[in-house]
Amino acid sequence: MEIKHMKVLIVYYSMYGHIHRMAEAVAKGANVVDSTEVVMRRVPETLPAEVLKKMGAIEAQKTFSHIPICMLDELASADAIIFGTPTRFGNMCAQMRQFLDATGGLWKEAALTGKVGSVFVSSATQHGGQESTILSFHITLLHHGMIIVGLPYLFTNQARIDEITGGSPYGASTIAGNSNERMPSENELAAARFQGKYIAMITSKLAGHQREIIDGMRKT
Ligand SMILES: Cc1cc2nc3c(=O)[nH]c(=O)nc-3n(C[C@H](O)[C@H](O)[C@H](O)COP(=O)(O)O)c2cc1C
């Protein structure tokens, strides 16, 4: 059996499947890097079934209900965490906020400090707050002492203007459309794969050394 020596955790919320599709692409990219265990997890739903029904989310959510719910200790045991969230009024969704607000105990122990953190998003419209969602998400990651990684311009197709596309130096993204009718394009999925691979490559150089760095810093 192959020994996996580092863990990349992908934690996300998706209502209609856009972020789920992007998460699969991030996972595909991270899987390319040797000795990487890639784990996909969802954050718990907070909306009642009747509200989800009114929002037309029930059928879509069934297609990824097999993805397990993330346990807090899984964050602590990962070497890198890549978070995915739909935009809600220019910010992360409440389901993700609630999940993160339960990580105070991990913060107290600096359990996520020195781990690689990254974010990808989805929004209905092109200028509906993808960048503000990622950048404001980074604040929480910084409080945890995480090392933030985005989507460098090495992924040159984030700059293309021959088609409508998500993707920015802050992270991969997709544009879902006002009725959530548009699924991630091939370019957006390529950005997500790139981000996953890039993070796994960086993490492969850091994995196993985080504790050493933190202990060293505590002595200074
Ligand atoms: C309450 C609410 C607020 C939203 N706010 C925004 C927004 O600020 N900008 C935007 O472009 N889309 C917004 N959307 C659309 C979602 O971002 C979109 O449905 C989502 O990205 C689809 O991804 P998912 O299928 O993974 O949930 C909002 C949706 C809801 C329900």
Side-chain angles (χ1 to χ4, degrees):
M1 202 178 81
E2 194 191 349
I3 307 288
K4 302 278 188 182
H5 81 262
M6 65 158 182
K7 186 160 110 183
V8 173
L9 179 63
I10 301 164
V11 184
Y12 66 95
Y13 176 81
S14 187
M15 184 165 266
Y16 303 106
H18 301 80
I19 284 293
H20 172 67
R21 288 248 192 124
M22 293 290 277
E24 286 181 324
V26 171
K28 205 170 176 186
N31 254 322
V32 165
V33 179
D34 282 348
S35 307
T36 307
E37 179 191 355
V38 181
V39 178
M40 284 175 68
R41 293 287 184 262
R42 293 179 299 133
V43 301
E45 182 55 83
T46 58
L47 293 173
E50 67 204 60
V51 175
L52 290 170
K53 195 174 169 198
K54 274 189 192 154
M55 294 176 88
I58 299 281
E59 286 309 310
Q61 289 199 339
K62 273 186 197 160
T63 62
F64 46 89
S65 60
H66 59 285
I67 304 290
I69 297 295
C70 191
M71 298 290 132
L72 289 178
D73 59 359
E74 291 179 295
L75 298 175
S77 66
D79 297 294
I81 311 170
I82 311 176
F83 296 91
T85 178
T87 286
R88 295 279 184 267
F89 305 118
N91 280 282
M92 72 174 80
C93 65
Q95 291 85 346
M96 182 60 76
R97 184 72 262 162
Q98 179 148 321
F99 177 76
L100 291 172
D101 284 357
T103 60
L106 296 174
W107 169 82
K108 211 171 171 187
E109 292 166 10
L112 308 187
T113 301
K115 295 183 192 295
V116 178
S118 195
V119 182
F120 59 97
V121 296
S122 166
S123 71
T125 62
Q126 274 188 85
H127 307 290
Q130 300 199 335
E131 296 182 3
S132 61
T133 301
I134 298 181
L135 291 170
S136 55
F137 203 128
H138 286 171
I139 296 172
T140 301
L141 305 191
L142 286 167
H143 275 254
H144 272 294
M146 297 186 84
I147 301 163
I148 291 171
V149 176
L151 176 70
Y153 279 108
L154 291 172
F155 178 72
T156 52
N157 271 348
Q158 68 178 275
R160 68 191 295 178
I161 52 169
D162 60 325
E163 67 173 43
I164 291 174
T165 187
S168 74
Y170 315 109
S173 60
T174 183
I175 300 152
N178 262 335
S179 310
N180 297 291
E181 72 282 13
R182 178 185 182 273
M183 273 297 158
S185 68
E186 186 39 51
N187 196 51
E188 292 164 346
L189 293 171
R193 288 193 297 272
F194 191 104
Q195 192 171 347
K197 181 178 176 185
Y198 185 55
I199 281 147
M201 286 187 75
I202 290 170
T203 308
S204 69
K205 306 294 176 203
L206 278 172
H209 298 290
Q210 281 112 329
R211 191 39 61 190
E212 190 187 312
I213 295 167
I214 292 161
D215 290 346
M217 290 310 295
R218 279 193 166 132
K219 282 184 200 135
T220 57

